[in-house]
Amino acid sequence: MSRMLLSRCAAIATMDDARTEVVGGSILVEDGAIAWLGAGDPPAGLADGADVVDASGCVAIPGLINTHHHLYQVLTRVRAQQDGLFGWLTELYPVWAGLDAEWVGAAAGAGLAELALSGCSTSTDHHYVFPAGRGDLLGAEIQAARELGIRFHPTRGSMDLGASQGGLPPDVVTQDPDTVLAETEQAIATFHDPSPGAMVRIAVAPCSPFSASERLMRESVALARRLGVRLHTHIAETSDEEAFCLERFGCRPVELLDRMGFLGDDVWLAHAVHLSAPDITRLAATHTAVAHCPTSNMRLGSGTALVRELVDAGVPVGLGVDGSASNDGAHLLGEVRQAMLVARGRGGPAAMTAREALWLGTRGGAACLGRDDVGSLEPGKRADIALFDVTGIATAGIEADPVAGIVLAWPQPVHHLVVEGRFVVRDGALANVPEADVAGRAHRVARQIVEGHRATGTAAPAAGGL
Ligand SMILES: [Zn+2]
């Protein structure tokens, strides 16, 4: 039996249903799960033989949960700097057409490490670019997550509407629906673990109703429900998308998903920025969750999601950093702060508290990914714990409220990150992989991309379709 005692934290924000907080409390971890949590030390004998970690300068929160990402984009940051979504996609698709397993592995290694260093213990990835003959792309990113020690929910994404069919992506990054569905089922059989405490789960994620055909969207829904895995896609990200949807399909984006059976308590949707009041009511009625990506929405000038209205309507809302080509950094505690500030910019100072933003990054994220075993610190839950040092310069003066302080002050890197009872970050450094190797590999492949040494895609299509 392995035991670890995180001793005498400055504060613990449990994010349990009662939103319990403990000052000067400790957390006992046993075989990957939380065995005891409370003020002071555990009862005599309970922590015998434990590896004792002094946490007296740290605020402990549940490991943060990232609900939307495109890890391969880590190697294509800072592109299309002044473009909105469609112009940005048009510039980047031909670059992404050069993607292979080495690119994906290097990008996932760096991207997941970047997240871990910001306090993220569980991340998803929406990977939907599968050029033929480029190796096991999903396997490459799962290997990176295993080496790092983070909990990982990659999705098997897809696109089948290429330029030759009026779509936006070049044909080389699309696949026919039969291949998509067969490879998705194979990925689930190979990697998906439905058991409690699972480190890897797969979801089904056609890219969007504008790059995936109606047949692929509907059959993805059927496949996911037959196999008992979750569904994910992009929706209502921009006003262009809304106008296109009304013109082409005669309905709003959320209504289009509804027609396809793509709403429900097994679905989480990225963005959901441009919603009508009936859209919000429908998402709530179907218990569909939303991945809110505030920085990405601002980087692309897409708009501001109606998070206050979604939360008040009962829609589960988690946070996502989104791909690193539309949010050139991936600091998940920073995204918590960003969500709070964006909500206040739109709705005034009472629109979102620091603790509500933390809830989105923990419990909201767990709801998006369908996990009831992570997202809060309670006996019986998995031991996914982020500890932020509050003794440094940037946190001087947060003593009056250290829990809110880690959100209101400038976001700091995590000090310790524990996932499934094991260190992923210890004393501010990656515990299981050499940081210099991860960074070196990512920079080497990124240089090859810039210098044009990777496979090249076809030219971008002329304007006229999505
Ligand atoms: Zn996205």
Side-chain angles (χ1 to χ4, degrees), residues 2-6 27-35 383 385 418 421:
S2 72
R3 283 194 178 126
M4 178 196 298
L5 180 66
L6 301 169
I27 306 170
L28 180 64
V29 173
E30 216 168 75
D31 290 337
I34 295 172
I385 308 161
V418 173

Side-chain angles (χ1 to χ4, degrees), residues 219-449:
E219 295 198 15
S220 294
V221 171
L223 178 71
R225 294 199 168 134
R226 175 164 63 82
L227 298 177
V229 302
R230 296 181 74 75
L231 280 159
H232 182 52
T233 194
H234 294 100
I235 204 69
E237 183 171 356
T238 67
S239 52
D240 289 353
E241 176 190 326
E242 180 180 306
F244 174 84
C245 198
L246 286 165
E247 185 187 325
R248 174 75 68 93
F249 301 105
C251 66
R252 302 177 53 77
V254 168
E255 293 171 328
L256 182 63
L257 285 185
D258 205 359
R259 281 187 201 174
M260 295 170 169
F262 211 113
L263 298 179
D265 63 4
D266 54 354
V267 178
W268 85 106
L269 303 172
H271 302 302
V273 172
H274 296 274
L275 300 179
S276 66
D279 289 340
I280 293 172
T281 303
R282 187 65 186 142
L283 292 177
T286 55
H287 306 289
T288 306
V290 165
H292 173 41
C293 307
T295 305
S296 172
N297 294 155
M298 289 194 285
R299 156 66 144 98
L300 295 178
S302 301
T304 307
L306 312 178
V307 174
R308 183 76 261 162
E309 289 86 338
L310 285 164
V311 169
D312 289 346
V315 176
V317 178
L319 297 180
V321 295
D322 203 358
S324 298
S326 66
N327 174 2
D328 307 76
H331 194 300
L332 198 49
L333 184 63
E335 212 64 39
V336 170
R337 184 173 192 263
Q338 197 80 287
M340 176 189 72
L341 296 178
V342 168
R344 291 178 181 209
R346 179 176 160 262
M352 187 179 292
T353 68
R355 287 174 170 79
E356 284 177 309
L358 271 178
W359 184 272
L360 301 184
T362 53
R363 293 294 293 275
C368 283
L369 299 187
R371 304 283 306 222
D372 59 8
D373 55 347
V374 297
S376 62
L377 302 179
E378 302 174 69
K381 303 280 182 179
R382 307 317 298 173
D384 291 9
I385 308 161
L387 293 111
F388 290 91
D389 185 341
V390 292
T391 63
I393 291 170
T395 48
I398 69 166
E399 279 75 1
D401 187 348
V403 171
I406 63 169
V407 178
L408 286 159
W410 193 254
Q412 299 299 298
V414 80
H415 187 62
H416 298 309
L417 179 70
V418 173
V419 180
E420 191 67 7
R422 295 183 288 266
F423 280 108
V424 170
V425 177
R426 187 164 197 171
D427 296 321
L430 298 176
N432 306 314
V433 291
E435 196 164 322
D437 291 0
V438 172
R441 183 185 180 197
H443 282 281
R444 176 173 54 76
V445 179
R447 270 195 303 276
Q448 293 170 352
I449 296 167

